[in-house]
Amino acid sequence: MFLQPKSVEAALAMMAEPGARLLAGGTDFFPAQGEQVIEHPVIDISRLADLRGIATTPTHIRIGGAATWSEIVAQPLPRGFDALKAAAKEIGSIQIQNRGTIAGNLCNASPAADSVPPLMALEAEVELLSAAGTRRLPLGAFILGNRKTALLPGEMVSAILVPRNVAENASAFGKLGARRYLVISIVMIAVAMSLENGRVGQARIAIGACSAVAQRLAEAEAALVGCRKAEEIAGRLHAGHLAALAPIDDVRATAGYRRDAALILLRRVAAAAMLAAGN
Amino acid sequence: MPTVKMTVNGKPVSAEVEARTLLVHFLREHLDLTGTHVGCDTAQCGACTVHVGGKAVKSCNMLAVQADGAEVTTIEGLATGDTLHPMQEAFRDHHGLQCGFCTPGMVMSAIDLVKRKADLSEAEIRAGLEGNICRCTGYHNIVKAVQAGAAATRGR
Ligand SMILES: Cc1cc2nc3c(=O)[nH]c(=O)nc-3n(C[C@H](O)[C@H](O)[C@H](O)COP(=O)(O)OP(=O)(O)OC[C@H]3O[C@@H](n4cnc5c(N)ncnc54)[C@H](O)[C@@H]3O)c2cc1C
Ligand code: FES
Ligand code: FES
């Protein structure tokens, strides 16, 4: 059964259908489906304009869950989103960015989902909508594990919310893959930072693909406070700051390589954020 | 079965299709527009690239019903009578193809790329075509063709 609701309310009502699954850009959905016949009801939310827009509220920047990567890249946004835009421009290729959506990337919950570190570094929250109403979760509490989220039956991601004060921070993103495009990341890092009197006031650092769920690196963040120059950054960050990671050995890289690469990438991206902040 | 209606290469079409029909199969099997190729089933290769609503997409990665009401352009929609589109002409002139399997998708992606930015460096062309895989040419002549096609499109 294929359902094309004309409104978000209609989509929520259809989600009562047992086994129903949402379809947005389909860029995770179809490749995972392969040759199998689709047996469950499918609800197409890719054409719901109400789920797509990007708006500024008094407290937050609100990105509709079905906004595509191309739409996000094209939208003028505060510089805290530079990291997210940099990640978006490398998601697959332009054809994928024209279809793939932000909520699809989060709900698919791949450890290598590129939008997660930039959004975590912005303290993003996920807005969940169901027939019963809405609730909000911090992104870190929404993604629970490899392919696991806190979505309850009947719920969809209606928006991603970023506090406006954090969105004003300078930000940078870096990812390492065997090639630049069409690869699954080996490690990716996003850094958002604010300066106070020419020194790092607060840094927010998130790292992906080195644990089942991307995570913030609180100790590395603390180590950067007070830093004055991009050149100082490398000396302030060391391997101990990555102790909480649990990188895996797989065809793309060994765990040891991932650890080494993560530290180098962390230093580079933090330095880039520092330069973006103006030092 | 749902009825889909869309405009393909400027002509209105309508058909009853099973909802699970991918756009690429609708184009190839229902409309006999076999210029759009299928090279993989994982949205990787780009051989199936068409324009939907003026944007490049992989037509193996969306359902025909998801393009209901849209304007779709395929490789067959580029030439005017016997006159090839400048990008097609450039691929011919610069040997931008060998077996030709990737070519329809390459040309559709190249046109989309040039539409977004007219003046492209070699690096931008290479990056812009990352969603299209060619196993024959080594890309060198494809890049040359796109440079020439971009210049010819600008000059039109
Ligand atoms: C060739 C290729 C390259 C890729 N490269 C990258 C890459 O470099 N980096 C990267 O991170 N990803 C990459 N991806 C993965 C994919 O493109 C992204 O994860 C994309 O953002 C998914 O969005 P979508 O709208 O296509 O999701 P869909 O495939 O439509 O949906 C994915 C899942 O999320 C659910 N879902 C979708 N929207 C909602 C919603 N609003 N609420 C609740 N559930 C929802 C669906 O039910 C489904 O389970 C790539 C994919 C392909 C095919
Ligand atoms: S057939 Fe569509 S990307 Fe390969
Ligand atoms: S020319 Fe043969 S695949 Fe490109």
Side-chain angles (χ1 to χ4, degrees):
Chain A
M1 185 172 20
F2 181 78
L3 302 161
Q4 250 171 345
K6 297 270 183 290
S7 68
V8 176
E9 294 66 43
L12 290 174
M14 290 170 182
M15 287 172 80
E17 205 63 56
R21 281 188 63 197
L22 296 179
L23 172 66
T27 61
D28 279 316
F29 186 101
F30 290 114
Q33 194 67 31
E35 298 282 289
Q36 303 155 58
V37 177
I38 301 171
E39 310 260 20
H40 43 76
V42 174
I43 306 170
D44 178 17
I45 56 168
S46 66
R47 297 155 69 104
L48 293 177
D50 286 353
L51 277 181
R52 292 177 93 116
I54 302 176
T56 305
T57 75
T59 51
H60 289 83
I61 310 267
R62 186 177 192 280
I63 303 182
T68 65
W69 295 118
S70 302
E71 285 163 354
I72 291 168
V73 168
Q75 178 84 15
L77 289 169
R79 61 185 185 161
F81 286 93
D82 290 354
L84 182 68
K85 287 187 176 187
K89 285 183 196 163
E90 291 189 10
I91 291 189
S93 61
I94 186 70
Q95 300 102 317
I96 301 297
Q97 292 155 27
N98 282 341
R99 295 288 302 163
T101 64
I102 186 166
N105 193 240
L106 301 182
C107 294
N108 190 54
S110 158
D114 283 319
S115 73
V116 177
L119 288 170
M120 272 190 177
L122 289 178
E123 310 266 4
E125 288 181 295
V126 179
E127 182 185 272
L128 300 169
L129 178 66
S130 69
T134 57
R135 60 182 181 127
R136 276 193 204 176
L137 286 178
L139 181 53
F142 174 71
I143 303 179
L144 300 177
N146 184 6
R147 315 272 167 195
K148 274 213 275 301
T149 69
L151 267 180
L152 295 174
E155 265 183 338
M156 68 165 84
V157 172
S158 43
I160 320 300
L161 295 154
V162 171
R164 281 174 65 178
N165 57 339
V166 185
E168 295 304 327
N169 288 189
S171 67
F173 173 79
K175 103 174 178 185
L176 177 72
R179 290 181 289 129
R180 181 122 182 247
Y181 294 87
L182 292 182
V183 288
I184 295 175
S185 302
I186 292 170
V187 48
M188 67 278 198
I189 288 178
V191 176
M193 81 175 43
S194 62
L195 297 187
E196 277 160 32
N197 304 321
R199 292 166 177 265
V200 173
Q202 186 165 15
R204 294 183 172 87
I205 301 175
I207 180 165
C210 281
S211 43
V213 184
Q215 53 181 289
R216 290 273 295 272
L217 294 175
E219 288 177 22
E221 292 177 1
L224 291 186
V225 172
C227 183
R228 256 181 315 194
K229 283 207 179 74
E231 299 83 72
E232 269 177 53
I233 291 222
R236 284 176 177 252
L237 296 171
H238 57 80
H241 293 139
L242 301 175
L245 302 183
I248 54 165
D249 278 312
D250 72 1
V251 290
R252 283 177 278 276
T254 62
Y257 176 83
R258 280 194 160 89
R259 270 187 198 284
D260 287 353
L263 180 60
I264 293 169
L265 191 66
L266 171 59
R267 287 173 171 158
R268 285 187 194 161
V269 177
M274 188 91 197
L275 291 173
N279 269 47
Chain B
M1 283 201 293
T3 305
V4 291
K5 291 191 183 135
M6 60 183 95
T7 308
V8 178
N9 299 331
K11 286 196 218 77
V13 298
S14 126
E16 279 197 3
V17 295
E18 277 189 73
R20 63 182 173 143
T21 308
L22 294 171
L23 178 59
V24 68
H25 292 141
F26 177 67
L27 295 170
R28 289 177 56 85
E29 286 156 27
H30 293 256
L31 304 182
D32 281 337
L33 295 172
T34 52
T36 302
H37 292 167
V38 183
C40 68
D41 59 4
T42 52
Q44 299 274 333
C45 76
C48 65
T49 302
V50 301
H51 299 175
V52 174
K55 288 186 173 166
V57 302
K58 295 185 173 182
S59 61
C60 72
N61 205 64
M62 70 188 281
L63 301 170
V65 283
Q66 290 186 290
D68 190 40
E71 298 259 347
V72 176
T73 307
T74 70
I75 190 77
E76 289 91 345
L78 297 180
T80 328
D82 287 343
T83 312
L84 292 179
H85 184 284
M87 191 61 77
Q88 292 174 301
E89 197 66 56
F91 268 70
R92 188 167 72 176
D93 289 349
H94 293 268
H95 302 287
L97 59 142
Q98 286 178 18
C99 79
F101 195 85
C102 69
T103 314
M106 282 289 176
V107 170
M108 297 312 286
S109 285
I111 291 173
D112 175 74
L113 180 61
V114 170
K115 201 169 69 183
R116 281 179 285 127
K117 187 165 186 280
D119 198 4
L120 293 155
S121 67
E122 182 191 331
E124 285 171 323
I125 293 173
R126 288 184 184 273
L129 294 179
E130 282 294 343
N132 293 74
I133 293 173
C134 174
R135 63 180 183 182
C136 303
T137 62
Y139 301 98
H140 195 68
N141 286 355
I142 292 180
V143 175
K144 279 206 271 180
V146 177
Q147 276 167 331
T153 309
R154 278 205 302 277
R156 261 218 301 196

